[in-house]
Amino acid sequence: MNKSEISILLLRVFLGISFYIHGLAKFKKGLANTAEHFGSLGLPEFLAYAVAYIELFGGIALVFGLGSRIVSILFGIIMVGAILKVKLSAGFLGGYELDIAYLIIALLIAINGSKLFALDHLLFKSGNFKTKTT
């Protein structure tokens, strides 16, 4: 266990919890209301459903280290969309500074992966599900 893996684990869990809470808020507010908000931004309303599910289930997956790189890429795409469509006009302070932080954390995990206490590492690197190569 090295310092780098511990740091990435902390970021992975933080990002996962943060997105889970954002996704949960969309469900509590009502997906139809979220879809209406997306429509008011000029986005297709079906994207609200996709974003809510990615945030909720992706957040859980990220906490447990399942599909970390893929989930992080999806979170990065969501953050780019949020910054460009919603937060950019508000400026950095009070606008998109947290979104940039989420984006950078997501990119770090997408690039480096996260092995420490990750289901991916346990399932796919331990030999349990390795495919036979010839």
Side-chain angles (χ1 to χ4, degrees):
M1 207 179 325
N2 65 40
K3 291 178 186 177
S4 177
E5 273 301 317
I6 293 169
S7 300
I8 293 172
L9 168 67
L10 293 172
L11 290 171
R12 187 187 86 212
V13 170
F14 167 74
L15 191 65
I17 291 170
S18 297
F19 271 90
Y20 170 78
I21 291 169
H22 279 91
L24 188 61
K26 286 174 178 62
F27 277 89
K28 285 186 174 184
K29 186 168 104 173
L31 290 181
N33 293 330
T34 302
E36 186 177 310
H37 176 68
F38 272 55
S40 74
L41 296 171
L43 296 168
E45 291 186 2
F46 76 87
L47 279 180
Y49 294 90
V51 167
Y53 279 100
I54 290 168
E55 288 179 349
L56 187 75
F57 294 109
I60 294 168
L62 199 58
V63 167
F64 290 105
L66 189 59
S68 297
R69 285 187 165 159
I70 295 167
V71 169
S72 294
I73 290 168
L74 293 172
F75 286 170
I77 292 167
I78 290 170
M79 287 297 88
V80 168
I83 291 166
L84 294 177
K85 283 304 263 182
V86 181
K87 306 286 184 91
L88 195 61
S89 63
F92 186 77
L93 290 177
Y96 57 87
E97 79 275 8
L98 182 59
D99 299 85
I100 290 282
Y102 286 158
L103 174 60
I104 291 169
I105 294 168
L107 288 173
L108 180 131
I109 296 167
I111 291 167
N112 293 300
S114 179
K115 297 179 192 121
L116 190 60
F117 301 117
L119 287 178
D120 280 344
H121 185 66
L122 294 173
L123 295 174
F124 301 113
K125 301 295 182 190
S126 67
N128 295 343
F129 291 100
K130 280 189 178 177
T131 58
K132 185 176 179 180
T133 58
T134 54

